[in-house]
Amino acid sequence: MSKGYAAHRERAELLDSFGKTLGKRASFRCEWCDGTDDLRVWDYRPKDEPSLASLALLCASCRSMAEGKPAEEKRLHSLRNALWSDVPAVSEGAARVLARCSVPWVREAIEESLIDDSVKRELLG
């Protein structure tokens, strides 16, 4: 077995160990859209040591948006609600998805949110 595979497997097991706690925090719902299908742990800062602040419980659709898939306009409002979370993986992750969209209200929503000012500057230029 290669070192890379073993490290990946070890990280996946570590992330899975947070699953129950994340599920309780999120009431077993997607922390971005409130959905309940195919919930899994999403790692907002994969290069850092995992923590409850850097992980979110997301559905398959939200995970795909987090990984770069364009967001459907009808799903954007649920992401807007996530901006008010005190969990960085939830609020900042959603802000990063929204910042890629050209919908007029997005900039204002990010500016009004509680996310860190340095992240706002990075996203809004």
Side-chain angles (χ1 to χ4, degrees):
M1 209 181 306
S2 71
K3 273 186 172 178
Y5 176 79
H8 173 75
R9 192 70 225 134
E10 185 177 308
R11 179 136 183 119
E13 289 172 8
L14 180 59
L15 293 178
D16 287 344
S17 72
F18 285 92
K20 193 173 198 175
T21 304
L22 286 172
K24 287 179 182 178
R25 177 181 82 191
S27 300
F28 298 95
R29 301 183 84 66
C30 176
E31 292 186 276
W32 284 2
C33 76
D34 235 12
T36 57
D37 292 334
D38 193 19
L39 297 173
R40 294 200 188 141
V41 176
W42 174 67
D43 194 356
Y44 174 56
R45 295 186 179 121
K47 294 181 181 179
D48 295 344
E49 186 68 26
S51 70
L52 288 174
S54 68
L55 302 173
L57 190 64
L58 301 181
C59 67
S61 180
C62 288
R63 285 193 315 275
S64 69
M65 288 188 294
E67 294 165 2
K69 180 182 175 191
E72 298 171 27
E73 193 166 338
K74 65 183 179 182
R75 297 188 56 85
L76 296 180
H77 287 286
S78 60
L79 293 179
R80 181 182 195 162
N81 294 335
L83 292 175
W84 296 99
S85 173
D86 60 351
V87 178
V90 177
S91 57
E92 293 175 15
R96 290 184 186 285
V97 170
L98 287 170
R100 296 191 313 250
C101 303
S102 59
V103 180
W105 55 262
V106 165
R107 182 177 186 85
E108 184 179 332
I110 292 172
E111 287 173 348
E112 292 175 351
S113 73
L114 300 176
I115 64 174
D116 185 80
D117 286 338
S118 65
V119 175
K120 287 181 188 180
R121 281 191 300 276
E122 175 191 339
L123 295 175
L124 300 174

